[in-house]
Amino acid sequence: MTLGVVFALAAGTYAMRLAGPLLRGRLQISPQWEQLMSIAAIVLLGAFVATSAVFESGGFAGWARFAGVAVGGVLAWRRAPFVLVVVAAAATTALLHLFELAV
């Protein structure tokens, strides 16, 4: 990647970040659109998590990772502390790999 491409990507990133505060007072968005955009962001993040949990390098990542993400997701949904969510998800994945129950 050339230096010019890096600078172009950096400039585009900062322009996008700057556009929000500059356009905030000039652009009026209805409350329905604000709610829709909030829901869309959550759905997009959920889709990314689901895709990362199931696929790796174009193939199935294995049941151990899927189970770990599922355990973490349920604990997060039940509003468990973040540390508990991460440790439980990692422990689930590690134990399934250790005992070769879900390769």
Side-chain angles (χ1 to χ4, degrees):
M1 191 179 283
T2 64
L3 196 56
V5 173
V6 171
F7 282 127
L9 289 173
T13 300
Y14 285 114
M16 291 288 286
R17 288 179 178 233
L18 187 61
L22 290 179
L23 296 176
R24 187 151 184 84
R26 296 180 182 190
L27 201 62
Q28 294 296 330
I29 299 175
S30 68
Q32 292 87 7
W33 275 103
E34 285 186 17
Q35 183 180 14
L36 182 65
M37 294 304 278
S38 177
I39 292 170
I42 293 169
V43 169
L44 185 63
L45 182 61
F48 176 71
V49 168
T51 304
S52 298
V54 176
F55 297 105
E56 178 181 351
S57 300
F60 184 59
W63 290 106
R65 183 188 295 179
F66 183 76
V69 171
V71 167
V74 168
L75 288 175
W77 175 57
R78 301 291 296 164
R79 299 185 193 267
F82 180 72
V83 172
L84 178 64
V85 171
V86 172
V87 169
T92 301
T93 304
L95 288 172
L96 287 174
H97 273 295
L98 179 67
F99 295 117
E100 297 178 356
L101 296 175
V103 179

